[in-house]
Amino acid sequence: MNRNARFRQKLQDSVLMHAMSAHNPLSARLAAEAGFDAIWGSGFELSASQAVPDANILPFGQHLEMMRAIAAAVDVPVIADIDTGFGNAVNVSYVVPQYEAAGCSAVVMEDKTFPKDTSLRASGRQELVRIEEFQGKVEAACGARRDAGFCVIARTEALIAGAGEGEALARASAYEAAGADAILIHSRQSTPGEILSFVAAWRGKAPLVLVPTAYPQLRESDIQALGKVGLVIYGNHAIRAAVGAMRDVFARIRRDGGIHEVDAGLPSVKEIIALQGDAVMRERERRYLK
Ligand code: SPV
Ligand code: MG
């Protein structure tokens, strides 16, 4: 079974999958090594890694190539966060096969206007497109896939936009009717009440996807017990871990006046060489260098 089919099957099973964010191939490799089921090609992280806001500032081609590099570095399924789909439904029909060809197993597309603003920023621009318009985008994404295992996940930002649970449920049902394989429901409330209420009220067959960044107290065991959630995404923990670690080490080197204190506590150069895939290259040297 290829990784698209594996991802689709697990999404439909009642076992909760967990995906870790990545912003480059190395962070994806570390997430796979830690045992996550999938890699979340987070738009937030990819943007942060280029030091630009998560607001469609990264050009499409750059985003696609970053996702291609991530998918090439790991064997686990990779989910591409394509924001609003880089245009209208027609654009989506051209964009989706490119992510599939780049090795991704799924896309997540959200129902905001282009250019989107990041969902978790206080007082961000959170404008939704019409339901019918987004249904057209979901249909275009589903119609454009080449491999039946490739998944199209529709994300409603109705709760983020303050439009209420009724609107969120109406949108989720409409997107499922348009062919979405799963529904990502996002919230930026600091407690899980809003999300738990949505999950309880959800009558659709499509599995739900949660991103508990704003309400970290909700554990995997709680989510699994809800029974309707197929995937939990940890949306920005790779970049936050990297930023925290780099800040700390950089400050200590400045304070200590050298690397003599920090060096022994860091991952060794040997470990980094292994993460670069050195063993594979050495094997190729043995076989091909004559
Ligand atoms: C991302 O990681 O890019 C997401 C999740 O879309 S969030 O930033 O919470 O909107
Ligand atoms: Mg995003």
Side-chain angles (χ1 to χ4, degrees), residues 4-269:
N4 294 4
R6 276 198 329 262
F7 181 76
R8 170 175 287 282
Q9 191 171 65
K10 278 192 166 179
L11 190 60
Q12 285 159 355
D13 285 353
S14 50
V15 179
L16 182 67
M17 270 195 290
H18 32 64
M20 176 50 74
S21 55
H23 48 275
N24 59 24
L26 182 63
S27 55
R29 201 164 263 183
L30 288 168
E33 183 186 273
F36 287 96
D37 296 300
I39 303 300
W40 167 237
S42 158
F44 181 86
E45 291 218 0
L46 296 177
S47 302
S49 77
Q50 304 301 302
V52 296
D54 178 21
N56 292 128
I57 309 295
L58 277 188
F60 164 62
Q62 188 178 357
H63 187 274
L64 178 66
E65 291 316 312
M66 291 166 96
M67 291 309 305
R68 194 189 309 281
I70 287 174
V74 292
D75 294 327
V76 293
V78 173
I79 308 159
D81 173 10
I82 62 167
D83 293 332
T84 63
F86 299 96
N88 66 17
V90 175
N91 296 81
V92 167
S93 73
Y94 286 90
V95 158
V96 165
Q98 299 205 49
Y99 283 90
E100 191 180 333
C104 298
S105 296
V107 289
V108 169
M109 183 171 62
E110 66 198 51
D111 58 357
K112 289 206 299 235
T113 53
F114 179 93
K116 58 78 62 75
D117 201 351
T118 196
S119 305
L120 300 177
R121 181 171 162 264
S123 67
R125 283 175 296 98
Q126 310 297 344
E127 293 149 14
L128 305 178
V129 296
R130 288 176 300 107
I131 293 182
E132 297 73 20
E133 182 180 338
F134 196 69
Q135 282 185 302
K137 293 175 87 165
V138 172
E139 285 168 23
C142 294
R145 69 180 144 208
R146 299 190 173 140
D147 178 38
F150 185 86
C151 287
V152 173
I153 302 174
R155 162 172 168 175
T156 181
E157 293 280 281
L159 299 178
I160 295 282
E165 183 177 296
E167 181 71 14
L169 286 165
R171 284 178 174 265
S173 298
Y175 305 159
E176 180 180 27
D181 297 298
I183 302 293
L184 190 157
I185 178 72
H186 206 8
S187 165
R188 65 185 164 91
Q189 301 281 309
S190 59
T191 54
E194 184 177 59
I195 279 294
L196 294 178
S197 173
F198 178 94
V199 174
W202 175 240
R203 296 279 169 268
K205 287 196 170 50
L208 298 174
V209 180
L210 302 186
V211 188
T213 306
Y215 47 95
Q217 61 275 48
L218 193 68
R219 296 171 188 212
E220 283 174 13
S221 52
D222 304 325
I223 297 173
Q224 173 77 54
L226 299 173
K228 300 177 189 174
V229 182
L231 174 67
V232 60
I233 291 175
Y234 300 117
N236 45 44
H237 299 78
I239 198 85
R240 287 165 63 197
V243 167
M246 283 191 273
R247 276 218 168 110
D248 176 53
V249 169
F250 297 167
R252 284 165 59 203
I253 293 171
R254 296 286 295 138
R255 186 197 62 205
D256 297 342
I259 56 175
H260 51 283
E261 291 288 344
V262 296
D263 198 68
L266 292 175
S268 66
V269 172

